[in-house]
């Protein structure tokens, strides 16, 4: 009995890009611009899909592998900064229109049920995005790229989120749109719900196209 109570879900940890907000499109535009500036023409949306949940430097490698030049670590840092500057420029225009369908209703409903809400995102721009979209007030604790040294699929970002929420990993459910994120959730010993264009292929415990779907929260939360 005690075990069951300890294992009940008490907190939901949301990924940010592609789960709460549509910023993955802006990431794509910024990487595309960097690719063009470097003379790399073959960077596509399919390549961008592989950047989901992946750190800034690892995402850069996915762009550079489409070209045929080798660069020093110093040059790579400069390119990552350039991309981030384009991206931040695009983020300045972000409003609550970028919040994905069903998100606010879901956050309000979960809080009413007494659940804690956390963010687990490797993006270092998480605070800016939450501020610009007005989502900050729905969130109890943020764990992001600024808090961690290892990117997803490492579980660090989710373990930090659980710790900040004052919960055990088994008491948390992760909501993700990337494979790297689902692997990270499993490595953290957390249950997972997959959403987004690839929701069926992510390997999540629960699968829904998006947060607008009729999600059977009661059975998930009492499982
Ligand atoms: C993730 C995105 O949320 O954040 C990745 O899915 C991105 O595509 C990563 O590379 C890092 O984001 P940022 O904002 O710190 O460059
Ligand atoms: Mg994501």
């Amino acid at each position: 009995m005690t075990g069951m109570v300890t294992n009940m879900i008490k907190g939901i940890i949301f990924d940010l890009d592609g789960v709460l907000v549509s910023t993955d499109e802006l990431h794509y535009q910024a990487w595309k611009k960097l690719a063009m500036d470097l003379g790399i023409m073959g960077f596509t949306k399919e390549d961008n899909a592989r950047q989901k949940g992946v750190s800034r430097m690892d995402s850069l490698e996915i762009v550079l592998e489409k070209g045929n030049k080798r660069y020093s670590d110093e040059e790579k840092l400069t390119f990552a900064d350039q991309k981030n500057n384009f991206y931040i420029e695009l983020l300045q225009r972000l409003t609550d229109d970028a919040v994905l369908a069903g998100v606010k209703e879901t956050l309000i409903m979960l809080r009413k049920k007494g659940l804690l809400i956390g963010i687990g995102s490797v993006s270092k721009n998480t605070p800016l995005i939450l501020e610009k979209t007005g989502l900050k007030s729905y969130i109890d604790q943020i764990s992001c790229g600024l808090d961690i040294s290892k990117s997803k699929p490492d579980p660090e970002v989710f373990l930090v989120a659980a710790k900040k929420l004052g919960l055990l990993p088994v008491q948390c459910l992760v909501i993700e749109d990337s494979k790297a994120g689902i692997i990270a959730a499993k490595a953290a010993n957390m249950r997972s719900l997959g959403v987004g264009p690839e929701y069926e292929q992510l390997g999540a415990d629960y699968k829904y196209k998006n947060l607008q779907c009729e999600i059977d929260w009661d059975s998930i939360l009492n499982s």
Side-chain angles (χ1 to χ4, degrees):
M1 188 67 196
T2 323
M4 256 178 75
V5 172
T6 321
N7 289 352
M8 258 179 72
I9 292 170
K10 296 202 170 95
I12 315 284
I13 304 173
F14 289 85
D15 172 48
L16 182 66
D17 296 315
V19 171
L20 297 182
V21 289
S22 59
T23 36
D24 30 5
E25 176 57 31
L26 304 182
H27 272 298
Y28 171 66
Q29 285 176 27
W31 283 123
K32 182 79 188 166
K33 175 155 166 43
L34 178 78
M36 304 285 269
D37 288 357
L38 294 174
I40 299 169
M41 299 303 159
F43 176 73
T44 64
K45 281 235 160 184
E46 284 69 47
D47 300 316
N48 173 242
R50 288 194 289 127
Q51 293 175 314
K52 274 190 189 176
V54 170
S55 73
R56 195 179 301 167
M57 293 312 287
D58 290 344
S59 293
L60 173 67
E61 294 298 339
I62 294 175
V63 175
L64 296 182
E65 76 191 22
K66 303 298 286 197
N68 45 21
K69 285 201 195 120
R70 285 179 170 271
Y71 297 99
S72 67
D73 288 349
E74 211 184 329
E75 284 170 312
K76 288 180 183 176
L77 283 172
T78 309
F79 298 155
D81 272 354
Q82 277 174 17
K83 179 270 174 177
N84 195 49
N85 290 338
F86 303 146
Y87 182 56
I88 287 178
E89 245 176 72
L90 297 171
L91 289 180
Q92 298 311 314
R93 277 175 266 148
L94 206 66
T95 66
D96 72 343
D97 286 351
V99 176
L100 291 166
V103 164
K104 280 191 193 160
E105 296 79 352
T106 304
L107 293 172
I108 292 167
M109 179 273 300
L110 292 171
R111 271 193 150 177
K112 265 198 192 143
K113 287 185 185 288
L115 288 142
L116 293 171
I117 307 293
I119 296 285
S121 166
V122 301
S123 172
K124 293 184 172 148
N125 292 299
T126 297
L128 175 63
I129 294 168
L130 292 176
E131 187 77 52
K132 286 271 176 196
T133 54
L135 282 176
K136 210 176 148 191
S137 59
Y138 299 83
I139 313 295
D140 295 301
Q141 293 292 335
I142 300 165
S143 165
C144 74
L146 302 169
D147 300 292
I148 54 162
S149 57
K150 284 164 274 164
S151 186
K152 297 168 189 173
D154 190 280
E156 187 181 9
V157 75
F158 294 138
L159 293 173
V160 170
K163 199 167 189 188
K164 285 192 181 192
L165 291 168
L167 298 175
L168 296 170
V170 287
Q171 297 174 317
C172 298
L173 171 80
V174 166
I175 307 193
E176 260 291 349
D177 71 326
S178 75
K179 248 186 198 146
I182 297 294
I183 295 170
K186 286 188 193 297
N189 200 20
M190 296 178 185
R191 278 161 277 181
S192 60
L193 188 155
V195 293
E198 297 173 88
Y199 76 104
E200 284 165 310
Q201 285 93 52
L202 300 175
D205 298 318
Y206 308 102
K207 308 174 191 7
Y208 289 93
K209 191 158 181 41
N210 55 50
L211 292 175
Q212 222 180 0
C213 297
E214 286 269 324
I215 298 178
D216 189 356
W217 285 108
D218 288 333
S219 82
I220 294 175
L221 298 174
N222 296 319
S223 64

